[in-house]
Amino acid sequence: TPTLAIVFNRELEIRHFVPRGYWRITASFGIAKGTYEGAYQRPDFRKGDDEHDRVDRLWDQARAEAVLAACQGQPWADVSEEKKASTQAAPRLYDLTSLQREANGRFGFSAKRTLQIAQALYERHKMITYPRTDSRALPEDYIPLVRQTLGNLHGDLKVHAERVLESGWVQPNKRIFNNAQVSDHFAIIPTLHEAKNLDEAEAKLFDMIARRFVAAFHPVAEFDVTTRQSVVAGHTFKTEGKVLTAAGWLAVYGKTTVDDDSPDSKALPALTPEDQARARTLEARLHAETTKPPPRYTEATLLSAMEGAGRLVDDEELAEAMKERGLGTPATRADTIEGLVNQKYLDRNQRELVPTAKAEQLLLFLTAVKADDLTSPAMTGEWEFHLREME
């Protein structure tokens, strides 16, 4: 019931959502080495209660048109920029929930399907460790075994695994080897067993697990982030460029550049002395857009919400603390979702989970008889936590 309530409450948010119109302004600027785009930044922006408010959104059309007018006729812009080196650490090893979330996002596998495939890889093929785990760490005495496992990997992972061994990167490291974060079972990693002939889905899932395992021991990926401000007639436009300077763990995923699908990874033409810190405003455009309702849950996002007892927690440290108060366990979450689908409380609409009329009747009835405590994910999570404390 609390899991159903999470999905139904989101449906109510979508139903009661009132779209609001807003305007964005982008401009393209020319310098000696080429052109680049910037997005207008509101000077009075304060992060407030309105989750739809962003620094590049103008809620007033007249104001947007005034900014646009000031950028016409190719005026000069004063350009300043700052470069910052930033790093990104490799993601942690998989527990069952993070494996299910990612397999759902990448391949559209349902949580139950991922568990079945993982179970086959564990029982039948003996190629991965026990999958029904909620730990993302390994025991601290596992270093020799990890070295052996790395030496045993085949295919295109072999190169990366050998690099880890030759560079001596398997060292005591609390993010990976941590007894305090290992309960009955530890993170999901490949075993020393030889690869058997796997079917396509098994091969995909095994590759995810093995790749994550190898990547975890690689050093951080290093970026240069350039933030460029172009000021036209007192209006600021911001452009971000990211350049990967050392691939680190991203090499295991075959990435030599920043993700191509993110808008801020476009290569920025460099400012040169001949520009004299100025750029020509080539053209400015006004975009009329409207706010969108929150997205429906997919299995991946619902698993996260169950783990965080109804809160979508992205911060890893916080998620670790919330995990204690989650709904269900890694082994039961998939069955809970399947149960709701089988009993016709939820429909699968491609990847989205949509509550049915039956779900609505149930939850409205529980509210009407003042039994809506039964629908509270936070309270159920608390009970689970106290039961475990007694145990």
Side-chain angles (χ1 to χ4, degrees):
T1 314
T3 302
L4 187 61
I6 294 174
V7 183
F8 181 65
N9 290 339
R10 174 61 59 89
E11 199 64 24
L12 289 181
E13 278 178 56
I14 295 169
R15 214 176 279 173
H16 299 149
F17 181 79
V18 182
R20 282 171 68 194
Y22 65 90
W23 288 266
R24 281 187 326 114
I25 303 162
T26 57
S28 48
F29 299 96
I31 51 178
K33 284 276 177 83
T35 60
Y36 63 93
E37 272 217 351
Y40 173 70
Q41 308 287 294
R42 228 167 66 212
D44 56 357
F45 177 70
R46 293 271 174 284
K47 203 161 171 53
D49 307 328
D50 182 357
E51 72 225 56
H52 296 294
D53 205 10
R54 307 240 173 92
V55 65
D56 60 347
R57 292 182 174 180
L58 284 159
W59 301 101
D60 174 13
Q61 186 174 1
R63 202 175 138 192
E65 283 168 349
V67 175
L68 187 71
C71 300
Q72 301 304 338
Q74 300 208 339
W76 286 98
D78 293 317
V79 183
S80 60
E81 64 179 21
E82 56 174 33
K83 269 200 174 80
K84 270 217 297 269
S86 83
T87 59
Q88 188 186 5
R92 300 189 64 189
L93 299 169
Y94 287 120
D95 60 1
L96 180 62
T97 305
S98 55
L99 183 70
Q100 286 169 322
R101 278 170 53 187
E102 206 161 302
N104 180 256
R106 279 176 60 181
F107 307 123
F109 293 165
S110 73
K112 187 172 186 183
R113 176 103 175 87
T114 300
L115 179 56
Q116 283 167 344
I117 301 166
Q119 204 63 32
L121 284 169
Y122 166 68
E123 277 175 8
R124 212 170 61 238
H125 303 296
K126 310 220 178 329
M127 285 173 62
I128 63 167
T129 56
Y130 186 72
R132 292 169 186 250
T133 171
D134 60 357
S135 169
R136 302 188 70 172
L138 297 173
E140 286 163 25
D141 56 3
Y142 253 54
I143 292 178
L145 187 79
V146 163
R147 291 195 178 119
Q148 257 182 299
T149 309
L150 283 165
N152 195 40
L153 289 170
H154 297 287
D156 64 334
L157 277 175
K158 196 173 170 66
V159 190
H160 303 298
E162 281 171 354
R163 185 188 313 129
V164 173
L165 293 170
E166 283 160 17
S167 313
W169 286 336
V170 184
Q171 298 293 343
N173 166 355
K174 283 287 184 209
R175 242 181 124 222
I176 304 173
F177 301 103
N178 191 333
N179 288 346
Q181 291 179 9
V182 174
S183 49
D184 313 343
H185 307 290
F186 48 81
I188 307 173
I189 61 170
T191 61
L192 289 165
H193 274 264
E194 290 304 310
K196 312 277 194 326
N197 36 358
L198 304 179
D199 68 28
E200 189 193 353
E202 289 168 345
K204 279 179 176 168
L205 203 67
F206 179 73
D207 183 72
M208 269 175 63
I209 294 165
R211 217 163 272 282
R212 173 69 62 96
F213 173 66
V214 177
F217 297 100
H218 273 68
V220 295
E222 294 171 29
F223 303 97
D224 269 345
V225 182
T226 306
T227 307
R228 185 175 291 175
Q229 311 265 11
S230 315
V231 183
V232 191
H235 302 298
T236 305
F237 289 81
K238 180 172 138 188
T239 314
E240 272 199 344
K242 247 183 179 181
V243 182
L244 192 61
T245 50
W249 64 272
L250 284 172
V252 182
Y253 290 90
K255 292 189 177 141
T256 48
T257 57
V258 182
D259 279 353
D260 301 326
D261 46 3
S262 67
D264 58 0
S265 65
K266 302 263 187 300
L268 259 183
L271 268 181
T272 53
E274 62 185 289
D275 291 314
Q276 296 170 343
R278 282 167 40 152
R280 172 79 74 187
T281 312
L282 302 175
E283 129 178 77
R285 288 173 296 282
L286 189 61
H287 310 268
E289 295 176 10
T290 50
T291 56
K292 292 189 178 58
R296 286 202 171 107
Y297 280 102
T298 62
E299 289 213 12
T301 51
L302 184 56
L303 284 166
S304 298
M306 288 171 80
E307 193 173 41
R311 279 187 281 184
L312 271 171
V313 191
D314 281 336
D315 182 326
E316 254 186 23
E317 304 302 310
L318 197 63
E320 203 60 45
M322 276 303 300
K323 202 183 254 184
E324 289 281 288
R325 294 172 165 71
L327 293 180
T329 67
T332 60
R333 282 182 198 125
D335 285 338
T336 304
I337 298 174
E338 285 298 320
L340 288 168
V341 173
N342 292 340
Q343 294 171 44
K344 306 279 184 284
Y345 284 109
L346 290 180
D347 278 337
R348 277 201 180 96
N349 179 3
Q350 287 164 320
R351 290 194 183 182
E352 294 182 338
L353 296 168
V354 188
T356 59
K358 182 177 170 183
E360 184 163 352
Q361 285 165 348
L362 170 72
L363 290 161
L364 293 177
F365 168 73
L366 287 172
T367 309
V369 298
K370 300 202 167 35
D372 41 12
D373 276 353
L374 295 177
T375 66
S376 156
M379 188 189 72
T380 310
E382 280 297 319
W383 284 356
E384 292 272 0
F385 176 62
H386 293 309
L387 281 168
R388 267 204 296 283
E389 281 190 316
M390 289 182 220
E391 181 191 350

